Amino acid sequence: MSYAGDITPQEAWDLLTEHPEAVLVDVRTEAEWKFVGIADTTPIGRKSLLVEWVGYPGGARNDNFVDQLKEAGLTPGVERPVVFLCRSGQRSVGAAKAATAAGIGPSYNILEGFEGPIDADGHRGAIGWRAIGLPWTQS
């Protein structure tokens, strides 16, 4: 595997809680952050990083992703758990791989993401960070 692995939202929260140096990076788009909500890590005394993996609209990959992680304080070569969150656990795989390749991590993908995949009825939200009751906020 080209990154540290996949973990559930609860395992991500536990890792963040148990390791004060750990960081959550939300790789969704600005539109998703504004209109859907964001994971709230302030109850454990830190702020989530918001760095788009792809842009909206259009879905073009953010070529400055790794540079933006570095600018946000994630230093390559410094052992520090980083958990990546997207909507359903798909985009965050690419983000975890890119971070790992840049020497940032160990980098983990959060399975199910913030809202989970589309269910049989065409809806999201039955599983994921928000559905299991982990802290989140909406602006």
Side-chain angles (χ1 to χ4, degrees):
M1 185 171 287
S2 56
Y3 57 101
D6 299 314
I7 57 178
T8 67
Q10 185 62 56
E11 289 170 331
W13 180 253
D14 294 344
L15 186 147
L16 289 162
T17 301
E18 294 165 10
H19 297 275
E21 74 284 5
V23 177
L24 183 142
V25 180
D26 189 327
V27 301
R28 294 174 299 145
T29 64
E30 184 176 353
E32 290 171 298
W33 302 326
K34 286 183 178 179
F35 300 111
V36 180
I38 60 170
D40 182 10
T41 54
T42 60
I44 54 173
R46 64 192 88 113
K47 202 173 176 187
S48 299
L49 299 179
L50 306 177
V51 182
E52 291 182 318
W53 175 247
V54 298
Y56 176 83
R61 172 129 185 264
N62 176 3
D63 292 330
N64 297 313
F65 180 76
V66 170
D67 289 335
Q68 291 171 347
L69 292 178
K70 292 175 186 176
E71 289 168 11
L74 298 178
T75 307
V78 174
E79 183 91 5
R80 180 181 199 178
V82 183
V83 294
F84 290 93
L85 177 72
C86 69
R87 179 178 57 202
S88 63
Q90 301 301 308
R91 285 174 282 175
S92 47
V93 170
K97 288 179 179 179
T100 299
I104 296 170
S107 296
Y108 299 89
N109 169 53
I110 301 177
L111 295 167
E112 304 168 2
F114 190 71
E115 300 179 86
I118 295 174
D119 65 17
D121 295 321
H123 302 124
R124 292 187 192 277
I127 61 174
W129 184 280
R130 189 170 64 179
I132 67 166
L134 292 173
W136 68 283
T137 187
Q138 192 161 14
S139 55

